[in-house]
Amino acid sequence: QVQLVESGGGSVQPGGSLRLSCAAYGLIFTDYQMSWYRQAPGKERELVATIDVFTHRTNYADSVKGRFTIWRDDVESTVDLRMSGLKPEDTAVYYCQAQDGRAPRGAVYWGQGTQVTVSP
């Protein structure tokens, strides 16, 4: 059974930093592209950052470039999202996603989400 377990959310003031972590269980981690998404109240879920399987190439939403860093540890089967320079508009539930990279439409798994709140 595949499980993605996020941790590290919380409340922080504008300009602050947080690190989210996602631990993956029940899958061969090195087969999966890993991503972080977020969903703010009343808005659709949006992609924040992705890290590829083999090259570890990363891709970021324009709104977080230069502030967020995605990092994967293929030994520990974890993916982190390091966030700095946080803004109120970063407030959202953040979700970890794993997508099987062995096929164009590989299986997709989601974590349960972790809340990030940025306010004075």
Side-chain angles (χ1 to χ4, degrees):
Q1 181 180 359
V2 175
Q3 276 191 299
L4 302 177
V5 180
E6 298 111 333
S7 60
S11 296
V12 66
Q13 293 185 340
S17 300
L18 281 174
R19 187 178 81 173
L20 307 182
S21 189
C22 172
Y25 303 94
L27 52 76
I28 301 174
F29 191 72
T30 50
D31 286 340
Y32 285 78
Q33 174 181 277
M34 300 301 298
S35 300
W36 285 94
Y37 283 74
R38 68 185 180 187
Q39 187 166 20
K43 295 189 176 181
E44 294 191 354
R45 192 172 296 190
E46 63 173 355
L47 176 65
V48 175
T50 295
I51 186 164
D52 284 353
V53 176
F54 296 112
T55 65
H56 286 197
R57 182 178 59 192
T58 57
N59 187 48
Y60 297 92
D62 287 343
S63 58
V64 307
K65 280 181 182 176
R67 300 188 297 122
F68 290 11
T69 302
I70 188 169
W71 177 264
R72 64 186 294 159
D73 185 329
D74 288 343
V75 174
E76 298 294 330
S77 297
T78 59
V79 59
D80 286 0
L81 185 68
R82 301 166 184 174
M83 307 183 292
S84 62
L86 284 162
K87 305 175 181 180
E89 52 264 42
D90 295 317
T91 295
V93 178
Y94 284 71
Y95 297 90
C96 176
Q97 185 214 56
Q99 182 168 5
D100 192 335
R102 295 170 293 177
R105 295 183 180 181
V108 175
Y109 301 97
W110 293 91
Q112 81 285 356
T114 186
Q115 177 70 46
V116 171
T117 302
V118 184
S119 64

